[in-house]
Amino acid sequence: MMLTAARGSQGRYCTRWRGEVSSLFGFRFAEVRPIGGHIAAEIALLATVRRRENIMAIYEEDGGYTGYVRGFLPDILGFQSYRIPPYSRERQEIDYTALEKSVSNISPPRAIVLGQSFFVRPYDLKRVREIADRSGSLVIYDGSHVMGLIAGGEFQPDVSRYCDILLGSTHKTFFGPQGGGVILTNDEDVFENVRANVTWRTMDNYHPNRVAALGVAVEEMKRHGKEYARKVVANARKMASELSERGFTVKYAPPWFTSSHQVILDRDPPAYVKGGSCVRVSRVLEENMIIIDREARVGLSEVTRMGLSDMGR
Ligand SMILES: *Cc1c(COP(=O)(O)O)cnc(C)c1O
């Protein structure tokens, strides 16, 4: 009985939100069951990469997501992970010429995985697509941090044109429920493989309450997403310049600073708080009910959604 009910509801319940989510992001197919961005990544990789094949990803030291580094998803799933050639750190850009070279040096990667946790600049996706087409690789874009900005058309608006898969969390700049992930694709075979890797492969229940909450967030996004995303990026840039004027060490060349919701500070800047570090700053803010991480990343999405625009204040 229980099993039948669970299975029955699975299809019915998700169908509507699948359509809403895919149209919001401009893809043909969407999977809304993954319970987080990490699980979405695991499912997408399981669906597309076989054991002993290669992937390339942006490594942690370049701002990438730890999950794609050796010891984590690649080891669990049984494939090799290679580093996408480091940026010009100052400009936060991939070295595309070096990428092209290293793609031809290793046996061709099954997937080139883009996306970062420290994420201030979109990619030249046309260039990556050309490189991937030459090596027969898929392009997977982990937009966990920037899903809300992508939905609002403010960051990497060409993702559905050039990438085979867009995946991400529902709870970062996309202000949906905690505990959600989505996978989007235009390729029906990829979508079928994704679906086949959900129930009893990577998860069991998908927790319908938060899928309902995702639906509410999608409706808000459809109405206000453009304005939200535009203001988030404008606020981030404004806050970066205000902080910089007040003696904080803000990363990346002024007056650009960032193209996303993130302002990245120096981890141990002399001017923060006397004798302080970003850990100390996070404690002071926490005592004042402002929760940030301890990695010197400031995100402007939530305050912007609540209507704050005076970054000087
Ligand atoms: C946060 C993050 C994840 C993990 O997402 P969860 O929803 O927390 O599981 C995956 N990839 C990137 C790039 C992230 O920043």
Side-chain angles (χ1 to χ4, degrees):
M1 260 300 274
M2 280 298 289
L3 192 62
T4 319
R7 275 189 186 161
S9 71
Q10 197 145 307
R12 262 205 325 276
Y13 207 75
C14 284
T15 308
R16 173 162 174 218
W17 299 126
R18 251 187 228 138
E20 296 283 317
V21 170
S22 56
S23 72
L24 176 64
F25 286 96
F27 281 83
R28 286 178 66 205
F29 306 103
E31 176 55 78
V32 298
R33 286 176 294 168
I35 43 183
H38 184 89
I39 303 296
E42 186 180 10
I43 293 169
L45 290 172
L46 269 171
T48 52
V49 185
R50 283 191 301 261
R51 275 175 196 280
R52 287 187 288 281
E53 288 185 323
N54 298 329
I55 64 164
M56 291 189 83
I58 294 170
Y59 273 26
E60 223 181 348
E61 52 267 49
D62 306 317
Y65 175 56
T66 318
Y68 297 120
V69 176
R70 272 177 212 159
F72 301 101
L73 286 174
D75 283 16
I76 292 167
L77 304 176
F79 38 77
Q80 287 291 329
S81 167
Y82 292 92
R83 183 179 183 184
I84 288 179
Y87 296 94
S88 138
R89 282 178 196 252
E90 283 318 297
R91 297 186 353 190
Q92 284 286 292
E93 267 173 325
I94 292 176
D95 184 341
Y96 296 102
T97 312
L99 173 64
E100 187 160 21
K101 222 159 138 197
S102 51
V103 163
S104 53
N105 281 347
I106 61 174
S107 70
R110 180 73 187 121
I112 296 173
V113 184
L114 301 172
Q116 289 161 241
S117 298
F118 288 71
F119 206 1
V120 294
R121 193 193 277 282
Y123 308 106
D124 183 348
L125 284 185
K126 187 165 179 281
R127 190 86 199 275
V128 176
R129 183 75 261 170
E130 286 162 7
I131 295 169
D133 283 345
R134 253 172 260 139
S135 59
S137 312
L138 296 166
V139 180
I140 299 179
Y141 195 106
D142 180 343
S144 287
H145 250 280
V146 291
M147 289 305 272
L149 306 181
I150 292 176
E154 194 65 27
F155 192 93
Q156 203 79 71
D158 50 358
V159 66
S160 66
R161 179 156 174 220
Y162 293 118
C163 295
D164 299 286
I165 293 177
L166 167 64
L167 64 89
S169 306
T170 62
H171 47 241
K172 291 179 179 175
T173 50
F174 199 95
F175 42 75
Q178 290 280 317
V182 291
I183 303 172
L184 297 124
T185 182
N186 288 319
D187 184 318
E188 195 160 7
D189 292 336
V190 168
F191 184 58
E192 283 314 314
N193 280 342
V194 162
R195 283 170 59 82
N197 277 288
V198 180
T199 311
W200 296 315
R201 294 271 290 161
T202 48
M203 337 177 342
D204 185 354
N205 291 287
Y206 68 94
H207 311 294
N209 57 316
R210 55 111 202 136
V211 178
L214 173 63
V216 174
V218 168
E219 290 197 338
E220 182 180 322
M221 256 303 176
K222 286 197 163 167
R223 249 174 256 175
H224 305 290
K226 278 205 168 71
E227 189 192 0
Y228 160 77
R230 183 171 48 75
K231 285 185 172 168
V232 168
V233 177
N235 277 350
R237 218 168 262 158
K238 187 77 170 79
M239 174 168 264
S241 75
E242 294 282 351
L243 284 172
S244 174
E245 275 169 29
R246 285 163 174 75
F248 286 76
T249 325
V250 181
K251 285 203 179 175
Y252 312 123
W256 165 59
F257 294 116
T258 180
S259 297
S260 74
H261 60 303
Q262 292 182 357
V263 175
I264 304 191
L265 307 174
D266 226 313
R267 273 174 194 244
D268 295 299
Y272 268 14
V273 176
K274 260 185 207 121
S277 64
C278 61
V279 175
R280 169 89 180 108
V281 171
S282 76
R283 289 213 182 100
V284 172
L285 289 174
E286 229 172 89
E287 283 157 18
N288 290 282
M289 312 278 281
I290 297 168
I291 311 300
I292 69 163
D293 70 11
R294 295 194 163 166
E295 306 200 61
R297 269 184 310 188
V298 184
L300 276 297
S301 40
E302 284 198 54
V303 290
T304 303
R305 180 159 169 264
M306 289 173 188
L308 194 66
S309 61
D310 180 359
M311 292 299 117
R313 197 180 107 210

